[in-house]
Amino acid sequence: NIVIGGESAGANIALSVALHIRDGRSPLPAPKGLALMSPWADLVDAMEQTSSSWTNNEVCFVLPDLAELFARWVLVAQKHGGVQWDAEGKEKFAELDKEALIA
């Protein structure tokens, strides 16, 4: 009996692992549950920042530009199966605009 959990970006990783298991992309057994605390699960909204939470929480501990940058890193890594932060990785990161990342 395994429960996968995490907080914030860690909850995003826990959710990603659970989805990989569910979709048969991992030999691990399915977890009995997930414990996700403040999951950062909507990366598209972190880039577009159109939900009401961005306007309702003007004084927030998450800076909008930083949230977008982190979302870009995660989405680039997902699209390329992981990205090394070398010259090639930086090039892949730079060439993807918002539309390419959230498509």
Side-chain angles (χ1 to χ4, degrees):
N1 294 331
I2 297 172
V3 174
I4 302 173
E7 187 267 335
S8 192
N12 176 284
I13 294 169
L15 182 57
S16 180
V17 168
L19 291 173
H20 271 75
I21 293 169
R22 182 199 69 188
D23 295 343
R25 295 184 283 167
S26 172
L28 297 172
K32 294 293 182 181
L34 297 172
L36 307 176
M37 297 170 282
S38 298
W40 188 38
D42 191 348
L43 297 176
V44 172
D45 185 55
M47 293 187 66
E48 294 179 341
Q49 300 175 5
T50 57
S51 73
S52 61
S53 65
W54 291 101
T55 54
N56 292 343
N57 299 311
E58 290 181 29
V59 179
C60 183
F61 68 94
V62 177
L63 301 172
D65 291 344
L66 189 58
E68 181 180 347
L69 177 65
F70 286 166
R72 287 176 58 85
W73 284 347
V74 171
L75 291 168
V76 167
Q78 288 175 346
K79 287 201 177 280
H80 293 286
V83 177
Q84 295 291 328
W85 198 244
D86 55 11
E88 182 182 346
K90 290 178 185 178
E91 183 179 320
K92 286 180 182 177
F93 181 81
E95 71 189 19
L96 293 173
D97 60 8
K98 278 186 191 179
E99 289 74 27
L101 287 171
I102 60 179

